Amino acid sequence: MSGFPAGFLWGAATSAYQVEGSPLADGAGPSNWHVFAHTPGRTHEGQTGDEACDHYRRWRGDVDLMRTLGLGAYRFSISWSRVLPAGTGQVNGPGLDFYDRLVDALLEAGIEPCPTLYHWDLPHALDGRSGWLNPDSAQWFADYAQAVWRRLGDRVGRWATLNEPWVIVDAGYLHGTHAPGRASTHDAPRAAHNLLRAHGTAVRAYRALPAAQRAQGTGTIGIVVNIEPKDAATGREADLAAARRADASMNRYYLDALRLGRYPQELAEIFGADWPGYAADDPAAEFALIGEPIDFLGVNYYTRSVNRHDPEAKPVCASPVPQPGAEYTDLGWEVHPDSLRRVLCWIRERYGEIPLYITENGAAFPDPEPVPGAGPGGRARLADPRRVAYFRSHLAAVREALAQGVDVRGYFAWSLLDNYEWACGYAKRFGLVAVDFATQERTVKDSGWFYRDVIAGGGEIPES
Ligand code: IFM
């Protein structure tokens, strides 16, 4: 007995701007990430997603790779500006054709397509209309989603609305390190609220679709959040309060709104005079819309953080404290598998029963060059023992959560391919499959073969 139930979904994930390349092909409009990455000084060495993994042209080979790994599901995102180059209005058929072909190829390979509608790449034209700060963005998003469902809804049964609203807001609107590059305590909570309204508006629109546009007449929809336990560095009240604020600003912000119909009280302290209020009992705050029932929750988990009070780290005033003896990934994230189990148990405890999918989990580590001919079947071999260990320990943590009764239905490794890690460019590698960005050659890493064996064994985690 592997500890993973029959029917557990085993997948890997990517996102459009991170892997596709050809961002303006076939009538697509520029996204805010295209513009941001092309703005000097915004990304590592000025790197852009212009080519990325060239998945837009190499998708057939990539589906073959997924088949080689035995994936049961593939989580990818749809680029809004391929579908609607100006964000609203005219639908671009050739942009949808790309996803149409991908979905068909996945289904033919026996791999379930699991698209996310928004993974951070807003059409640039909509940024010109204030992006997520514009209350109309909720309807723009639902209209875009409907254009996608009209084309793909009959064959795709598992949709996610947004990926990681916390990152969209924190990096894009509060600190300005991601597109659209705004840094404002006034903007951040307003963008967050409109993102949640957009999610709710799309969920309602999905429920109203004709059966023919909902795979097998049903079809499911959820949202993906990233969750990190926020521990306190000491038992001092100042550090405990800092950890609570960090938790409120990242974890409870989105889940309390989605599941409890309110925002955490710490947000008023964090945003001060810029906090718009959004009282739980104020119909104008639209918590009924935000809390529209969903079918599943996607959870992205990478790390935890241990926090101390830091008045300089505005507005949350909490800073992470490095842990002696702990292992850190190439992004400086502590490897802490038990926190994945904690996250899963905490969600059930605080928010009640809901099917959970781990929609991302993985680690960036520097990799060696592949060794020609040293891998399975005479392929090149790339040894990445730290990533293998990361997956092994985190899968064991999922198994533990299952044993504790949490309803986890699937696991998606981040990422299928080494890819464009946003402002970090191509330097940080998360893939099960290495990509040589000069030649676009793919090499399955040891972690990829390890994951293949886990899947083939129904979740049995091979000994090292
Ligand atoms: O690469 C990102 C992804 O786009 C969203 N979740 C976290 C990953 C690693 O940083």
Side-chain angles (χ1 to χ4, degrees):
M1 281 290 291
S2 72
F4 289 88
F8 192 84
L9 207 56
W10 294 102
T14 64
S15 87
Y17 192 72
Q18 293 181 273
V19 299
E20 287 177 357
S22 308
L24 303 178
D26 300 326
S31 72
N32 61 350
W33 258 97
H34 179 73
V35 173
F36 186 79
H38 279 269
T39 305
R42 290 304 206 172
T43 66
H44 174 71
E45 295 179 353
Q47 290 169 355
T48 72
D50 284 2
E51 187 169 355
C53 306
D54 197 22
H55 175 74
Y56 190 75
R57 295 188 303 173
R58 294 170 191 262
W59 58 274
R60 278 193 192 80
D62 290 337
V63 172
D64 288 344
L65 268 173
M66 296 178 215
R67 210 198 296 246
T68 302
L69 296 179
L71 298 187
Y74 175 49
R75 175 173 178 246
F76 58 99
S77 79
I78 293 178
S79 158
W80 187 338
S81 52
R82 289 197 195 283
V83 178
L84 290 151
T88 56
Q90 190 66 37
V91 173
N92 176 42
L96 274 169
D97 291 346
F98 169 68
Y99 298 106
D100 205 20
R101 288 190 291 263
L102 178 63
V103 162
D104 280 345
L106 289 167
L107 291 172
E108 206 180 302
I111 299 167
E112 182 179 343
C114 299
T116 298
L117 288 160
Y118 184 72
H119 195 127
W120 308 357
D121 46 353
L122 191 73
H124 174 59
L126 295 184
D127 261 344
R129 296 160 71 184
S130 301
W132 294 111
L133 295 171
N134 188 330
D136 292 346
S137 54
Q139 195 56 51
W140 300 339
F141 179 65
D143 291 346
Y144 149 64
Q146 279 166 312
V148 174
W149 293 328
R150 273 195 294 277
R151 182 68 90 83
L152 305 179
D154 60 332
R155 281 154 293 150
V156 173
R158 215 183 298 264
W159 294 93
T161 53
L162 310 176
N163 182 70
E164 299 183 355
W166 176 74
V167 177
I168 301 168
V169 172
D170 192 76
Y173 288 84
L174 186 59
H175 295 296
T177 52
H178 279 190
R182 301 176 89 104
S184 157
T185 47
H186 175 273
D187 291 354
R190 289 161 178 82
H193 197 65
N194 286 329
L195 278 157
L196 287 164
R197 291 176 54 249
H199 156 81
T201 308
V203 173
R204 274 193 188 162
Y206 190 68
R207 304 277 180 237
L209 286 180
Q213 284 179 41
R214 298 182 52 175
Q216 281 98 48
T218 55
T220 58
I221 191 161
I223 186 171
V224 173
V225 290
N226 54 325
I227 304 293
E228 278 177 18
K230 301 291 184 183
D231 295 327
T234 72
R236 282 202 305 269
E237 182 45 36
D239 292 336
L240 292 167
R244 282 196 297 271
R245 284 193 303 275
D247 177 55
S249 70
M250 180 176 187
N251 303 321
R252 284 181 281 124
Y253 199 147
Y254 299 93
L255 287 180
D256 279 13
L258 288 160
R259 304 288 295 171
L260 306 180
R262 59 171 194 252
Y263 285 124
Q265 61 184 25
E266 291 90 343
L267 298 185
E269 180 190 348
I270 292 169
F271 291 108
D274 283 332
W275 178 243
Y278 302 130
D281 56 2
D282 178 359
E286 296 183 273
F287 282 109
L289 173 69
I290 291 170
E292 190 68 34
I294 50 177
D295 302 301
F296 66 87
L297 190 63
V299 178
N300 294 354
Y301 171 81
Y302 290 91
T303 189
R304 68 154 179 176
S305 73
V306 180
N307 295 271
R308 68 176 172 87
H309 176 63
D310 178 1
E312 302 304 311
K314 291 194 169 41
V316 180
C317 297
S319 281
V321 177
Q323 296 303 290
E327 183 187 12
Y328 287 86
T329 71
D330 210 13
L331 281 172
W333 296 348
E334 183 185 356
V335 177
H336 204 267
D338 189 52
S339 286
L340 173 53
R341 182 198 59 77
R342 289 164 67 201
V343 159
L344 297 169
C345 293
W346 171 77
I347 290 175
R348 185 183 53 168
E349 255 168 57
R350 185 172 175 85
Y351 302 107
E353 292 294 342
I354 180 163
L356 300 179
Y357 292 85
I358 292 147
T359 30
E360 289 180 26
N361 176 235
F365 289 118
D367 287 325
E369 289 298 313
V371 180
R379 303 168 191 239
R381 173 171 183 209
L382 193 156
D384 59 338
R386 294 179 70 191
R387 195 175 288 102
V388 172
Y390 183 98
F391 282 123
R392 176 179 281 115
S393 59
H394 286 75
L395 287 169
V398 179
R399 189 175 55 195
E400 190 59 35
L402 282 162
Q404 293 180 13
V406 184
D407 185 6
V408 189
R409 305 263 177 110
Y411 175 93
F412 292 77
W414 183 270
S415 174
L416 175 68
L417 301 166
D418 286 342
N419 60 45
Y420 181 71
E421 179 56 21
W422 306 108
C424 298
Y426 295 97
K428 309 295 177 193
R429 293 176 172 261
F430 277 92
L432 297 167
V433 176
V435 176
D436 177 332
F437 292 107
T439 61
Q440 290 296 341
E441 198 171 335
R442 273 77 162 139
T443 304
V444 179
K445 303 179 191 178
D446 281 2
S447 57
W449 297 122
F450 165 83
Y451 191 47
R452 176 201 58 176
D453 292 346
V454 170
I455 298 171
E460 204 66 60
I461 303 173
E463 291 304 313
S464 40

